[in-house]
Every structure is written in C-alpha cells, then in structure tokens.
Amino acid sequence: MKEEYLRVFAAIAAIPAGRVASYGAIAARAGLPGRARLVGRLLGEVPDGMVLPWYRVLRSSGHIAMPPGSRGFREQCRRLRAEGVEVKNGRVPLSRFGLDADVDRAVWGWE
C-alpha cells in the first residue's frame, strides 16, 4: 500500500470522538492538500480488518456526502449523534464540531 494512503488512513483514525473533519482537511493533514477526492475514494477502499471512524468525515460544507435518506446517510447521522455531534438536515456545524473548532473559537469567538 502506498505511504500516502497510510497517511490518509492515519489522519482519519486520529479524528477524536465528537469531532468531524472535511475530506479536504484530512487530505491536508495527510500532507496531500487539494486531494479531497482521493480521501473519498480511499474511504471506499478501506482494507479488510482496518477500522476507521469513516462517519466523522464530511463535505467542506459540513454536509454528509451520502444521499439523504439512504442507509449510509442514516447510519452516519446515528453514529455522529451518538457521539454528541449535532446533525441537522444532514449538516454538522463545523464551527462547533470541526477539528479546528477550538482554534476558531479562541481566535474569532465563534460559538
């Protein structure tokens, strides 16, 4: 497996419970800025036996990428809510639940 793929998987695995990240943020953290689509593709190709918090990865808008109402969409909503993440109309407020939310709040006072 390519080393860059392992970095993507490690970045996804590092998302703590109760937080989310965008595909682009994961790519950047893996040292692959601009490769958000690669992150999405790799989430669909996770090797057997590797367990990742796939449900913590969202579009840059905070929206769930799966079609609304689909089984995957419902499962992602369920898992996020179980961790205390607010999901409304298929969207998570990144200013509150994103990986960098604490930094944004400290600098800009966002709530």
Side-chain angles (χ1 to χ4, degrees), residues 23-91:
Y23 294 94
I26 293 298
R29 286 174 182 255
L32 302 164
R35 303 290 308 273
R37 289 183 185 216
L38 173 64
V39 173
R41 183 172 64 81
L42 291 176
L43 273 172
E45 300 174 2
V46 175
D48 289 340
M50 183 181 288
V51 178
L52 291 175
W54 59 270
Y55 53 92
R56 297 180 187 148
V57 183
L58 306 168
R59 291 182 174 170
S60 61
S61 63
H63 283 91
I64 290 173
M66 295 183 201
S70 68
R71 190 176 63 129
F73 179 93
R74 291 190 311 269
E75 179 66 13
Q76 191 166 7
C77 287
R78 186 190 68 73
R79 288 180 182 229
L80 289 170
R81 287 177 179 137
E83 292 185 352
V85 175
E86 177 186 324
V87 182
K88 187 173 182 180
N89 297 322
R91 185 177 175 278

Side-chain angles (χ1 to χ4, degrees), residues 1-10 32 38 41-42:
M1 180 178 300
K2 289 186 177 183
E3 191 260 332
E4 64 184 8
Y5 295 2
L6 294 175
R7 291 196 319 257
V8 168
F9 292 139
L32 302 164
L38 173 64
R41 183 172 64 81
L42 291 176

